Amino acid sequence: MTDTTKYKPRLKQYLTARGVRQQGDRWACTNHDDENPSAYIYDDERLYCPVCEATYDIFDVAGHITGEKEFTRQLEEVQRALGEIPPDTSHVAGEATKKQHQPPWVRLLSR
């Protein structure tokens, strides 16, 4: 079984690897359109968004980014983004469908 606690302090590294927009110490919230980054990291492992009035850990953020609700898939996403396992290419045919269901912050990155 994988020790998932080792990933929690790597939230900033994960956000950077996934291209989440940052302005100073603020990050774009991965749970809503956030043109002016409002979320910030505290305790090195939690993302707090005052707009959502919610706190997210690295796995919550991975779920926002990918749309995955299953924890094992969120863990795999984190491991891939951090370079611990190779990219999954078995679902390349499904990429077009996946792009249709991207979270709002991804659309901000492509502007």
Side-chain angles (χ1 to χ4, degrees):
M1 180 166 225
T2 303
D3 176 17
T4 59
T5 59
K6 72 179 186 175
Y7 296 106
K8 292 189 177 207
R10 298 175 71 187
L11 177 59
K12 188 180 289 189
Q13 182 184 358
Y14 177 73
L15 291 169
T16 301
R18 294 297 282 152
V20 176
R21 195 160 55 106
Q22 178 184 13
Q23 282 182 333
D25 64 345
R26 301 291 176 147
W27 295 82
C29 179
T30 56
N31 196 39
H32 65 88
D33 283 332
D34 199 2
E35 293 184 28
N36 297 309
S38 58
Y40 59 89
I41 296 173
Y42 71 94
D43 293 338
D44 289 330
E45 58 185 54
R46 307 291 290 172
L47 185 71
Y48 174 74
C49 177
V51 175
C52 297
E53 295 183 351
T55 303
Y56 309 107
D57 71 9
I58 193 169
F59 303 108
D60 296 325
V61 171
H64 297 159
I65 290 171
T66 63
E68 291 290 348
K69 301 209 182 308
E70 186 179 322
F71 179 76
T72 55
R73 300 249 185 200
Q74 294 169 350
L75 174 60
E76 288 174 3
E77 158 57 17
V78 168
Q79 291 171 322
R80 278 191 186 88
L82 297 177
E84 294 189 8
I85 59 175
D88 180 9
T89 58
S90 65
H91 63 284
V92 172
E95 285 300 312
T97 302
K98 187 176 180 181
K99 286 182 181 178
Q100 293 172 3
H101 302 289
Q102 289 177 334
W105 70 268
V106 173
R107 291 190 295 273
L108 292 173
L109 292 176
S110 60
R111 288 184 181 175

